[in-house]
Amino acid sequence: MKKVYATASEALEGLLHDGMFIAAGGFGLCGIPELLIAAIRDAGTKDLTIASNNCGVDDFGLGILLQTRQIRKMISSYVGENAEFMRQYLSGELELEFNPQGTLAERMRAGGSGIPGFYTKTGVGTVIAEGKEVKTFDGQDYILERGIVADLSIVKAWKADDTGNLVFRKTARNFNPPAAMCGRVCVAEVEEIVPRGSLDPDHIHLPGIYVHRIVQGQHEKRIEQRTVRKKETA
Amino acid sequence: MAWDRNQMAARAAQELEDGMYVNLGIGIPTLVANYVGDKDITLQSENGMLGMGPFPFEGEEDPDLINAGKQTITELDRTAYFDSATSFGMIRGGKIAAAILGAMEVAENGDLANWMIPGKLVKGMGGAMDLVAGVGRVIVVMDHTNKAGESKVLRECTLPLTGKGVVDRIITNLGVLDVVKGGLRIVETAEGVTEDELRAATEATIVS
């Protein structure tokens, strides 16, 4: 069982095909699999459906796959920071399915956990409920949402051991664990691969059973909105 | 006279009680954190954090540490991190005591619209639909009227809904209203605002 690959492109070899469905981790530009996204751009895989909370910005993250017209459809909760996204969406080139953020996360978690659907009160009485089964439990209405199973998951973690156990850092965890869970195959890019035995088994955030391939690399980790406060002078 | 942004935030902060876990939306709701005083409040950021701290000092920004508005923030001694599914599990599961958020329209039955204007650029609902459906108490903080002077407190929402019958309390520049059976009840008026002025600026049914 060899999970470690030398480059992002090698880690994706044999996994990409036109028209495929990819689940990607990340929130905004935080904790996004930036190396794997670049490798998919280089591979030129087309007609992608991508489930990801956001779609990057114009020149970083999933936004670079919009520039090359590789994405056919996005499943997201918020896509506000991307002018090219809006241009393609309004011109009809790009399909968009809005999911409430928690519903999207749960769809991934459920799909990866063998749960084909679940009922939630999120979106009841809104456009999100249109065409969905409504069921009443204890006097309250819920809508049926489907679990997601993707052809491929691409995620970013802080550290991995060579068996694929992952540790994330701060809010860069976000959608990465549920996205990893819902893929038939999951490729993780990390900042550091450490030898097995060096991570505390009690502190693993995502067990290696969900992670099939790993690649280590240098990350730009761009900040979307730099907000600071002034140091008070004594 | 009416409340300004900071006075609205200060009034909203009075809604919070010691020990509460709370989610604050973007805009005026973010300012509420400045007015909690000595109360022990834990702020949730739905991208996966409990115990959100203030903005970092210049040079100490961490790209791995942002809030739901994608702004760089800091952690506190109580902070816990978790994934998005867990985060919305605690939201949907009713563990978050209150959400304070802005709105475009609120109706007398508690309907809330704050995510989409048809024909305009649609950015998405983010976590707003999950929050209003799941948290214990939904408190809206917004201006009472829009730029054209029309009431944002309506009989029925005209915009696509974020949640149906979800709002508990509305805090505006003119006062505080509760969603009750049959309409809205005036809780208080802002300094210098009369009850008549508040009624005149409100399209929704006001019950006593």
Side-chain angles (χ1 to χ4, degrees):
Chain A
M1 181 190 66
K2 178 190 160 296
K3 292 190 178 181
V4 179
Y5 288 73
T7 66
S9 293
E10 286 173 44
L12 289 170
E13 209 168 287
L15 301 180
L16 300 176
H17 59 86
D18 291 350
M20 72 186 301
F21 181 16
I22 297 174
F27 181 92
L29 300 181
C30 181
I32 58 171
E34 53 182 273
L35 307 173
L36 292 163
I37 292 168
I40 291 171
R41 177 199 55 199
D42 295 345
T45 318
K46 290 191 297 289
D47 293 324
L48 300 172
T49 294
I50 300 182
S52 167
N53 189 55
N54 314 94
C55 196
V57 293
D58 279 328
D59 63 340
F60 194 60
L62 289 171
I64 66 171
L65 299 182
L66 288 172
Q67 288 184 344
T68 50
R69 307 277 202 283
Q70 286 171 265
I71 304 177
R72 184 178 61 79
K73 179 181 176 179
M74 285 300 302
I75 303 172
S76 303
S77 87
Y78 191 85
V79 294
E81 319 303 340
N82 195 317
E84 177 62 15
F85 186 103
M86 282 303 155
R87 196 200 62 70
Q88 290 187 24
Y89 173 61
L90 293 172
S91 70
E93 295 168 57
L94 179 68
E95 208 181 315
L96 170 62
E97 178 187 320
F98 274 130
N99 279 193
Q101 194 174 134
T103 294
L104 180 58
E106 190 63 17
R107 290 185 69 193
M108 292 178 177
R109 195 197 69 83
S113 306
I115 298 171
F118 58 93
Y119 291 97
T120 176
K121 57 187 169 183
T122 300
V124 169
T126 75
V127 293
I128 292 304
E130 282 172 14
K132 290 173 184 161
E133 184 198 326
V134 179
K135 192 161 174 157
T136 308
F137 295 92
D138 304 322
Q140 179 145 27
D141 287 345
Y142 296 78
I143 54 175
L144 177 65
E145 295 281 4
R146 296 294 309 271
I148 285 176
V149 177
D151 297 317
L152 170 68
S153 295
I154 53 172
V155 300
K156 151 82 173 49
W158 181 37
K159 290 182 181 180
D161 67 19
D162 64 296
T163 74
N165 290 319
L166 299 185
V167 177
F168 300 90
R169 188 171 175 274
K170 303 185 188 285
T171 56
R173 193 181 319 184
N174 57 60
F175 272 81
N176 284 295
M181 291 168 73
C182 80
R184 291 190 186 90
V185 182
C186 172
V187 183
E189 61 180 65
V190 301
E191 295 174 46
E192 188 183 1
I193 298 175
V194 299
R196 62 184 73 187
S198 49
L199 296 175
D200 182 339
D202 270 331
H203 293 172
I204 305 290
H205 295 140
L206 189 74
I209 191 169
Y210 294 109
V211 181
H212 305 91
R213 299 184 183 186
I214 320 155
V215 60
Q216 179 180 319
Q218 289 291 322
H219 291 83
E220 178 184 337
K221 297 215 276 188
R222 195 185 291 188
I223 291 176
E224 200 162 336
Q225 292 208 45
R226 190 178 298 272
T227 44
V228 295
R229 69 188 144 129
K230 285 267 181 291
K231 266 199 175 111
E232 284 165 38
T233 43
Chain B
M1 277 298 291
W3 285 328
D4 63 20
R5 287 164 58 86
N6 284 301
Q7 288 169 314
M8 288 160 70
R11 178 60 190 81
Q14 290 177 25
E15 302 294 319
L16 305 181
E17 291 164 26
D18 213 44
M20 273 188 173
Y21 291 86
V22 178
N23 186 292
L24 301 179
I26 292 165
I28 301 174
T30 305
L31 300 175
V32 173
N34 299 335
Y35 298 97
V36 295
D38 291 338
K39 284 183 278 197
D40 188 51
I41 304 293
T42 304
L43 298 179
Q44 197 233 23
S45 190
E46 65 265 27
N47 53 319
M49 177 183 201
L50 277 167
M52 178 167 52
F55 293 148
F57 292 120
E58 213 167 325
E60 294 176 7
E61 310 91 312
D62 184 340
D64 288 340
L65 182 45
I66 63 168
N67 64 17
K70 283 117 183 174
Q71 299 170 311
T72 46
I73 48 162
T74 54
E75 64 186 21
L76 303 171
D77 54 7
R78 70 178 58 188
T79 297
Y81 298 110
F82 34 84
D83 68 69
S84 300
T86 305
S87 181
F88 282 93
M90 65 184 74
I91 289 169
R92 207 185 296 103
K95 315 299 180 188
I96 304 292
I100 301 178
L101 68 173
M104 298 168 184
E105 295 177 344
V106 182
E108 62 192 43
N109 63 355
D111 287 1
L112 168 70
N114 74 350
W115 79 282
M116 159 179 203
I117 301 173
K120 288 209 176 166
L121 216 55
V122 182
K123 295 182 169 188
M125 73 289 285
M129 285 191 178
D130 310 275
L131 279 160
V132 300
V135 303
R137 200 167 149 72
V138 174
I139 300 156
V140 166
V141 181
M142 65 174 192
D143 282 328
H144 207 93
T145 54
N146 63 20
K147 284 186 186 121
E150 299 156 340
S151 184
K152 294 168 68 176
V153 186
L154 305 171
R155 288 205 178 86
E156 273 180 50
C157 288
T158 63
L159 297 170
L161 296 184
T162 307
K164 191 147 188 59
V166 293
V167 176
D168 296 289
R169 178 164 278 196
I170 309 162
I171 298 171
T172 76
N173 51 323
L174 301 184
V176 181
L177 298 137
D178 272 351
V179 178
V180 297
K181 204 167 188 282
L184 303 178
R185 188 175 58 81
I186 297 174
V187 177
E188 65 187 79
T189 56
E191 284 166 52
V193 175
T194 66
E195 211 171 290
D196 284 345
E197 286 167 335
L198 179 59
R199 283 172 187 270
T202 306
E203 190 215 88
T205 310
I206 292 181
V207 296
S208 46

